[in-house]
Amino acid sequence: MHAMVLKIGGSILEKLPDSFYEMIVELKNAGICEPVIVHGGGPEINRLLQQLEVNSPFVDGLRVTTKEVLDVAEMVMSGSINKRIVTNLQKAGGTAVGTSGVDHSLLKASPLDPTGELGYVGEVANVNDEWLKVIINHGGIPVISPIGIDESGQRYNINGDMAAAAVAQSLKGKLALISDIPGVMETIDGKQVVHTQLTKQQIEAKIMSGVIHGGMIPKIRSALNSLSAGASESVILNGLTPADLKNYIEGKEAGTKVMTDKEAHHV
């Protein structure tokens, strides 16, 4: 199975053209890859929290999640956003199945921060990939909301990039983090350039210098972590130009490919 896990960030969801969903369905129908979608929902969660006057600060790009914030995050992501993506894929002619990490214990979670400072923020301890394979083998495109659950039934909000990395590892597939920018960008000699590939060493240096900052930090770290734990490859791609996805799958230059220092020596 050539699994291709696509993480769609909340910031880009409202901007994605119909052609993006059509491209995913086309790749599935042509047997080029088996797409699996993991999505976020940050901006919509923020809007609802503001309406409800619920405070929700961030620490290192991760949302501090109280029980109240968790309920809102689940409602937005597993409810409206998940079904919107499923609808868009089906409008494009695909068969999509919306699921959350809670369903069938798809994303078995544990607390990310043992000190409790982040609240109900989890990390993925295990992925029930058998459930995903059932959906895929019956012609479906899984669409996953990153709310996880532990043995006791406690739910956790999981960073979408981290959840996508765990799913890619589990399926031994490639991971594409879909963004609204062409990749990791830097201003060099007054010009904006996109880094076509970055190693772990280069990434750490760019985080230290502030070139990579904010929400891009968990994104790029997830791309790296997915490699060290078994994903075959990871890349940050621009979803606003769907051809980038096709170009990447066909081995052409697109986005920012993230690689281990060892891999870079073979390039």
Side-chain angles (χ1 to χ4, degrees), residues 109-162:
S110 57
L112 180 65
D113 173 23
T115 69
E117 190 192 355
L118 288 171
Y120 297 110
V121 173
E123 59 185 342
V124 180
N126 184 51
V127 177
N128 180 358
D129 55 21
E130 289 305 314
W131 179 232
L132 291 179
K133 287 170 187 169
V134 167
I135 296 170
I136 291 165
N137 292 340
H138 283 78
I141 300 170
V143 180
I144 304 167
S145 161
I147 302 286
I149 192 166
D150 70 10
E151 299 284 357
S152 72
Q154 174 60 52
R155 292 162 300 134
Y156 289 90
N157 185 16
I158 299 171
N159 172 274
D161 295 335
M162 293 177 179

Side-chain angles (χ1 to χ4, degrees), residues 181-197:
I181 55 171
V184 176
M185 301 167 86
E186 185 174 358
T187 304
I188 299 173
D189 298 332
K191 273 202 280 197
Q192 275 218 313
V193 299
V194 177
H195 292 284
T196 54
Q197 57 188 54

Side-chain angles (χ1 to χ4, degrees), residues 107 124-127 161-171 175 222 226:
L107 301 178
V124 180
N126 184 51
V127 177
D161 295 335
M162 293 177 179
V167 172
Q169 291 159 17
S170 180
L171 294 173
L175 171 65
S222 294
S226 71

Side-chain angles (χ1 to χ4, degrees), residues 214-231:
M216 185 54 90
I217 294 176
K219 196 177 292 295
I220 202 101
R221 285 241 162 96
S222 294
L224 267 178
N225 293 345
S226 71
L227 293 178
S228 58

